[in-house]
Amino acid sequence: MILSRDFYNRATLEVARDLIGKVLVHETRAGLASGIIVEAEAYIGESDKACHAAPGPTSRNAPLYGPPGIAYVYLNYGIHYLVNAVTEAEGWPAAVLIRALEPEDGIPLMRRRRAAARMKRPREFAVHELCRGPGNLTKALGVDLRNNLYDLTSSALRIEDHGLPERRVEWSRRIGINAAVEQEWRVYALDSAAVSGSRRDRVTANAVRG
């Protein structure tokens, strides 16, 4: 079942938590690839200095101000494409960054895509490494700027509920950013080897929560 617009039209932290265990799917001419979301980060409003909406509305961040359930895809540092799900009511800029997946469908295709990007042999990638990190998962799923503004509720790039068991999660500070690092807006599945970040990040998160 594809997640509805109402799923995204809620508080961003609630959406981030509920995305853990849902499935990101991308259908292309090369085939279908999908993975279970095991790590996500929330970015909320113009007051969040780490959010792209911090400077106010621009042509680049316009998707953040659009309707909930739309994909916001951008090029990060000129290297990696990152995919976000826009949340909350139209006009309020917020989104959830998808940071890691557990590969489900299309694993051979994911391996070929990752290998082409890294000039490695496909078999060199362990399954849990294929979609570990927001830039790696877009490579594995074939997501790029052409997918910006795709409707996650009805397009080839979508998020589905497969009725999977609920996962135990932990919250931590966001990683890979230099501003607003005190916000504990990163959520991840405790039992997943696909979660990005170092072991130190996870230990620190547990210490913060404890």
Side-chain angles (χ1 to χ4, degrees):
M1 179 181 70
I2 301 176
L3 298 181
S4 70
R5 186 108 33 227
D6 287 343
F7 177 92
Y8 302 98
N9 191 17
R10 300 181 293 145
T12 305
L13 292 177
E14 292 180 8
V15 176
R17 168 61 185 87
D18 291 345
L19 280 173
I20 302 300
K22 302 302 189 292
V23 180
L24 180 63
V25 178
H26 191 206
E27 288 187 83
T28 66
R29 290 182 180 178
L32 183 148
S34 71
I36 302 165
I37 299 170
V38 291
E39 182 184 3
E41 281 180 342
Y43 291 86
I44 308 172
E46 295 175 0
S47 62
D48 177 2
K49 294 181 180 179
C51 182
H52 283 185
T58 66
S59 58
R60 183 197 190 200
N61 67 25
L64 289 174
Y65 292 83
I70 297 299
Y72 173 41
V73 181
Y74 61 86
L75 185 62
N76 192 45
Y77 297 119
I79 302 173
H80 302 295
Y81 297 107
L82 305 188
V83 60
N84 302 255
V86 175
T87 58
E88 307 207 24
E90 186 168 359
W92 173 252
V96 175
L97 170 66
I98 310 302
R99 286 197 56 92
L101 309 173
E102 290 176 349
E104 191 171 59
D105 297 306
I107 290 174
L109 175 59
M110 292 185 193
R111 280 197 165 114
R112 292 195 297 273
R113 285 170 170 162
R114 287 293 315 280
R118 294 288 297 275
M119 292 185 291
K120 287 187 174 184
R121 296 178 181 178
R123 66 174 180 269
E124 292 183 39
F125 290 94
V127 172
H128 71 275
E129 294 176 337
L130 288 170
C131 300
R132 177 194 277 167
N136 290 332
L137 75 85
T138 55
K139 288 186 180 73
L141 266 64
V143 173
D144 57 30
L145 288 179
R146 291 172 293 183
N147 301 117
N148 189 36
L149 291 174
Y150 268 40
D151 191 338
L152 296 172
T153 72
S154 61
S155 72
L157 180 65
R158 57 188 182 270
I159 301 179
E160 300 178 351
D161 185 348
H162 289 187
L164 299 173
E166 187 171 344
R167 308 286 286 265
R168 290 184 59 221
V169 302
E170 183 64 85
W171 291 87
S172 82
R173 296 174 181 175
R174 295 176 293 190
I175 60 178
I177 58 174
N178 298 315
V181 294
E182 71 282 358
Q183 302 288 7
E184 293 183 35
W185 289 354
R186 170 178 172 253
V187 60
Y188 59 91
L190 279 168
D191 62 348
S192 180
V195 171
S196 67
S198 66
R199 183 177 182 277
R200 182 176 177 275
D201 291 326
R202 302 189 199 187
V203 169
T204 300
N206 289 332
V208 169
R209 295 298 294 176

